[in-house]
Every structure is written in C-alpha cells, then in structure tokens.
Amino acid sequence: MKLWETGAIYQNGKLTAAGEKSAEGVKKTLAYSILQKHNTSGDDARLKIKFDKITSHDITYVGIIQTARASGLEKFPLPYVLTNCHNSLCAVGGTINEDDHMFGLTCAQKYGGIYVPPHQAVIHQFAREMLAECGAMILGSDSHTRYGALGTMAIGEGGGELAKQLLNKTYDVAYPGVVAVYLTGSPVPGVGPQDVALAIIKAVFDKGYVKNKVMEFIGPGVANLSCDFRIGVDVMTTETTCLSSIWKTDSKVEEWYAIHGRPSAYKEMNPEDGAYYDGAIEIDLSEIRPMIAMPFHPSCAYTIEEVNKNLDDVLTDAEKRAKVSFGDKVNFNLHNKIIDGKLYVDQGVIAGCAGGGFENICAAADILKGKDTGNGKFLLNVYPASMPVYMELMKNGAFASLIDAGAIVKTAFCGPCFGAGDTPANGAFSIRHSTRNFPNREGSKIQNGQLSSVALMDARSIAATAANKGFLTAATEFDTEFSGKKYFFDKSIYEKRVYDSKGVAHPEVEIQFGPNIKDWPEQKALADDLLIKVVSEIHDPVTTTDELIPSGETSSFRSNPLGLAEFTLSRRDPAYVGRAKAVRDLTDDVKAELKEAADALAKKDSALGKRAAEAGTGSTIFAVKPGDGSAREQAASCQRVLGASANIANEYATKRYRSNLINWGMLPFLYKDGDKNLPFANGDYVFIPGVRKMIEEKLAVVKAYAVKFGSDGKATGAVNEFELSVGDLTDDERKIILAGCLINFYRD
C-alpha cells in the first residue's frame, strides 16, 4: 500500500503525479459532480447541501424529532427513515424501548416518514437495500452512514444536522479535499472486506491522511470485488475520519440494484479523464492478508500471521495502550490469553452493518461446514444485517452449517457493535466483524472493575478461529471451497412489516409519548463575556465519543436528556458530572470560587475583574483531540444540559463532533500550543472577555485568562494570559452559537 505525497491526475484509467493542483481537474471527480448537484449555495467552495433522503435509528431519532418539533416542524419535507436496530431489546433503568418505537411509528404517521420495526434490518442495510441510488446523497445520524459502494455519497452526522434538513435548511461545509483510492489486483481466497478496510485504516489514521476528505475508489481492482465486498470496505471508511466515500460503478452494481428490484436506481459513474485528486492511496488487493485490529482502535492493526509470530510484542503494545486509557484503574492483561504458545479468544461475533452481509456469512458457513466450535468457553454469535438476508441464508443452507457447527444465529441488531449485546465476561477477549473496538465498546464497565476487550477481524478469519475452537487463525490457513451462493432479495418481507407513508403526512395522528421521553431543557444565549470552570482534563491522544458519553446500557436513557447526562464521561472521569452540575446550579462553593476568580482578575486589571463578576458562567473540558467515533449528538448535548459552554482542544477528531458542539451552542475553542504546560488545569477558571464580539465580528482569536486554583479549591492569585480561537465558522453556525443552540436559533 502506498500513500502519495503529491496530488494525482487520473488519465486513461491510470494515476500520475500532479505537479500542481488543477482547478479544472477538481471538477472531474465523482465527488465534485455529486456534491455540486446537491449544492444550493451557488459557490462551489462553500457548500450548502440539501440531501435526497435522511435516516436515523432508535438511539437518535427521538432527540432529532424533538429538536425539529421545538423549532417548528410541520411535515417531513424529504424521505426520513426511522429504523429500530440499536435498542431492540428490553431496557431496564431508562426508557422502555417500545415507548421510543411507538413514538417513532406515530411520528412517521404524523409527519410522513418510513418506520422500520425492530429486528427487520440494521439502519445501513435497510438504506442500501431500499434507499441508495447512484448519484444521490443521504444524511444519517449514525457515523457509519456510508453507501459509496452503491454510488451514493452518504454522510454520518449528529442529530442537529438532520433536524436542519427537516426544517428545510442546509448542510453547510467547505468543499472537501478528495483522495483517490486506486485498487488493483484481486483478493486471495480467505481475505475479506474487513481485511482490506483494516489495512487502509492502519495506513492513514495516524497521519490524518483523509481526515474530513472524500475517499473516491477507482482503478481496475474495483471490478474484481463483488458489491458485498465493496460495501464491507466502504462502511469502515468512517474509521479513517474521512467525511464520505464514493466508488465508481459498473455492471456488478447494476446487477445489485436489479436483484433488489430497483434497476432504475443504477447509472454508470466514472471520474472523467483529467480528474485531480489531493492525494492517492494505491492498494494491490492481492497483497492484503487476513488482519486483526487489536484493542483499542481499528488502526491498531496487524496481519494475523504477524500477531501469531510476535505474540509477546503485540500483546505488550496492547497492554501499554490500555495504560494510556485506564491508568492504574485496572490491570489489563492479554498475556494470560496465551495457551501453549497460541492466542486464545473467548468469543466471536459476526454482526451489523459491517459483518452481517450475505457474502460474509455465507463464507463463514463454508469455512465451518462439517466442523465443530467446541463446548468450551469460546462462543460464536452471528447476526444477519436484515431479515431479507436472514431469509435467504435460511433457504440456502448457510444457517444449517453454522448451527450445526455450534454457532448461534440471531436477528438484525446493532448491539454487539456498541456495547448492548454479547458483552463478554470480565477479562475476556472477543473477536468481531463489526465496526469499532474502542475501550468499553463491548459493554464492560471499568468503573465497576469489569473490563473485557475487542479485536476486529473479518468474518472469514473469525470462522477459521471458531473452527479451531478459539485459537486465533487466519482464514487463508484453511483450504476452503467457497460456494459463491447467489443472493435473492425478497422485498415482500418489508412490504408486510415496514410502515411507508409514501410522503403523505397525517397531522391528525397523536404522537405517542412514553414517560421517559422528555423535552430538551432551555438553553441561554451566549453572554458578552464568559467565566467558565475547567471540570475535566484529558490528555489521551484521542478521546472517543464513547468516552464522552458511553454507549451500551446507558443508551436506555437516550430520550431523557437529563437522565442520559448523568452518564457523561462516567467511564473516563466519573467526577465530571458532579463538578459540572455544581457549576450549572451555582452552588455556594461555586459562587465563592467565581468571586475569588473575579477578585484575582481585578488585581490584574480592575475593569477585567468587574467584567468577570458580571460574566456568564459555565463549564468546559479540555481534551487533546476529542470526538473520534460515533456521530451521536449526545456526546455534546449531555455536556450542554450539564451547563457546559465550551470545549477546549488542540484539535477536533471529526467534523461531526465539532458540529454537534456548535449545534448545541457550545464554543469549539482551539488552543494551539499542545497539551504540555497548559495555562490552565482541572479546577481552574478561564475568563474570556468579549467572546460574543469574537463570534459576531469573526475575530480570529480572543484573549483569555486562566485563574489558577490550588488543591484546596482556593484561588492562588496567579493569572495566566493566553489566546483561544474557534476556527472557521459559517454564518449560520455563528448565529447558532450566539442564540445558545440550534433550537433557539430556528425558534427565534
């Protein structure tokens, strides 16, 4: 695999180095043509996108619709699909899931949407089967909204961006860079899409090579991949931190749409000769070997052969990464998984939008046919991505092979991917064909001393490992005759169960609310000056959204903003919630601290102290690079309802997390001088005079003052002066921050 250090020109099916950027060549990419087709701004550099369709699942759609309702929603102005794949099981301690499902169904009826009942399909599989079209754009409230393999440019964002579409507003973004992913060769038998995806993520993630860019898949190797294979690679592009993806299309995509009863959705799409790319990734597919991403990120990837040859070194590296995330809170040990010189895993899962595809499960069944997973600790669970896929696997005998081997087959559910299903035992090690292996993503609870971990692998090598009763094995070690079963799609399954309004709203329908479905609390407009307390300080290289607001069982409070907020940073900084609430509620201790901070500033400058005494208040966290991972807006909204006014970061991991902050009226501050010798620390106060003026007048930086507090909670008298910026903001983003949140902006 090669990452180009220069731009590239596509000509006659080949890439050559570009001496300089070609303005005309930029317009010849697939990405440019699709983005400009949906751009309403008239400015090809500053995009205002209107999407063709949007889609959400049951962790996000209640909050999105509640935001839109509070902002004046009368009817869904475009097709909006509400799927129920994340909280399909009964919840204890928060919202009863069926309450949310009935809310979704009645909203689909009232406002004219599409409702997919639980267990029918995971969000992305339904979108592939029923929504995707060549040249279209889809916005989803799940970060893995990626349908580029089917010619659809799809973007995963926080709920606020979907609410904007429901209110006939636009998705505003600067025209992104476009990177070519140039494929040659063919995968060897036993190598699957997750292997290719992990190899790409390993190569680009740490370098930020495609961050907030579009990945455009081209080259002769594309033709050597089935649609299911392309889809499996495509969905994982989210883990590179790219903005979106798009692939050239061909007869295989045409056949895919025909199989799914939508032949008119297909059109041939290729970049034009002379297309210019800001970079390129060259991949010879024949060189890819079975991969494993060790804890705790998809980029921590190795070949399985490399792991088995260098077990001690690889496991030591994983244990060191655990120290970064957990410190001394737990004793994370993988060396105890070595048995007779081999790595033993406790669990295998093939599931969701990445692993639950037809071909992945058929290949796993071929490997396991006539074999036995054993009756020890190792357990294999398989979740087809939709009920039509389930039906065909039942008809063609794949399920029989899996069940005969000892696997457990379940219905479409995203739970294993975000910690709400198949949580392993304490200390267990799980291999999964799913999308993420962040800390706690599999559902363990470090605050209770329980910790397991996940490695990502392809379904084929998971099946090979299962055939070896839990000892890590690459699928290429088996001489498997892959059956290549043909897929037949039965659309009647959806016709019988899915509610489709066909765009017709029924305003007379009453929305069905559950007792734990609550409105968003009121938020204040941005004050002229801000005096905010630092209530958490995180120095990990990257902070995921799962650490900001845990997934899994905490999501049972997803429809109750204040209830869910109680879990904010609970697995990373359990003291955060109490500190933030004290600032929000202006407890006596906080009032005393605010006065001390103002007095310290007054000693520096009396006018400064007077302004600080009258300033708006709030809290902030500092993190080096927050926001990798999920698009869930709760990562920001939970901080906001706890009284947060800002984040301070060296950079933001993704556009979607930064957008979530902005849509909740929080300032996305940037501190450019790294995380060593910060001018402030946890427990200090930061005064930002003229912050409203900064936003209104588009000032590049604002002067800030850190008032230092000691371990006794008293101001030391020291004041550090420094600068903060907010980066580029659109005019609407500035108005949202000034108004205090998206709801205030549209309501006012």
Side-chain angles (χ1 to χ4, degrees), residues 153 349 359 427 591 613 668 708 710:
M153 188 176 289
V349 177
E359 288 183 9
K591 287 178 182 177
K708 303 297 291 178

Side-chain angles (χ1 to χ4, degrees), residues 424-641:
N426 183 47
F429 184 50
S430 176
I431 53 172
R432 302 186 173 196
H433 192 158
S434 59
T435 57
R436 291 198 173 116
N437 60 337
F438 296 164
N440 311 122
R441 185 80 182 183
E442 81 299 332
S444 61
K445 301 178 182 178
I446 186 174
Q447 69 272 29
N448 295 337
Q450 197 273 355
L451 179 67
S452 50
S453 55
V454 163
L456 300 182
M457 285 170 50
D458 189 82
R460 293 149 188 81
S461 291
I462 292 174
T465 300
N468 272 345
K469 298 179 173 54
F471 288 98
L472 182 67
T473 306
T476 49
E477 294 184 30
F478 280 76
D479 185 17
T480 304
E481 184 176 341
F482 291 101
S483 58
K485 292 182 172 70
K486 186 174 176 60
Y487 182 58
F488 299 93
F489 176 74
D490 183 356
K491 67 177 181 179
S492 70
I493 295 171
Y494 290 150
E495 290 173 341
K496 292 169 183 173
R497 288 295 300 128
V498 172
Y499 172 79
D500 186 352
S501 70
K502 308 294 185 184
V504 178
H506 297 280
E508 71 281 2
V509 171
E510 293 291 330
I511 298 173
Q512 184 170 325
F513 289 88
N516 207 45
I517 298 176
K518 306 295 184 183
D519 291 334
W520 292 109
E522 290 287 332
Q523 301 298 333
K524 295 179 181 178
L526 180 64
D528 292 333
D529 308 316
L530 269 181
L531 181 56
I532 56 179
K533 184 176 182 178
V534 181
V535 291
S536 188
E537 185 180 353
I538 304 172
H539 290 270
D540 290 5
V542 178
T543 303
T544 69
T545 47
D546 286 78
E547 293 171 287
L548 294 167
I549 181 63
S551 56
E553 86 289 351
T554 60
S555 297
S556 68
F557 289 90
R558 64 201 166 271
S559 305
N560 181 337
L562 292 171
L564 183 60
E566 293 290 331
F567 297 95
T568 311
L569 279 170
S570 59
R571 294 178 184 166
R572 187 62 187 79
D573 184 358
Y576 165 80
V577 170
R579 296 190 197 112
K581 287 168 72 174
V583 178
R584 180 197 65 187
D585 299 340
L586 291 176
T587 64
D588 290 342
D589 287 346
V590 168
K591 287 178 182 177
E593 290 171 356
L594 289 166
K595 185 177 185 307
E596 286 189 55
D599 290 345
L601 288 161
K603 290 177 182 177
K604 182 179 180 67
D605 183 319
S606 60
L608 209 59
K610 184 176 186 301
R611 290 179 70 173
E614 298 171 353
T617 59
S619 63
T620 188
I621 67 168
F622 169 81
V624 174
K625 189 178 179 181
D628 187 24
S630 171
R632 287 175 297 141
E633 67 178 307
Q634 292 101 324
S637 66
C638 285
Q639 295 178 57
R640 184 61 165 158
V641 301

Side-chain angles (χ1 to χ4, degrees), residues 52-56 78-83 113-116 122-140 145 147 150-154 162 256-257 260 262 264-266 489 494 498-500:
D52 298 295
K53 300 163 186 174
I54 60 176
T55 184
S56 294
L78 75 171
Y80 185 18
V81 177
L82 310 176
T83 61
I114 300 166
Y115 173 84
V116 183
V122 300
I123 176 174
H124 303 308
Q125 187 66 13
F126 185 85
R128 296 162 188 154
E129 293 170 352
M130 304 301 290
L131 304 182
E133 296 179 59
C134 291
M137 289 191 73
I138 295 176
L139 181 67
T145 306
Y147 316 128
L150 299 173
T152 300
M153 188 176 289
L162 277 82
W256 196 94
Y257 279 116
H260 288 81
R262 300 191 294 119
S264 62
Y266 173 76
F489 176 74
Y494 290 150
V498 172
Y499 172 79
D500 186 352

Side-chain angles (χ1 to χ4, degrees), residues 112 168 175 232 366 383 490 492 521 535 566 660 716 719 741:
N168 281 306
Y175 183 78
D366 289 338
Y383 296 76
D490 183 356
S492 70
V535 291
E566 293 290 331
N660 286 337
T716 66
V719 176
C741 67

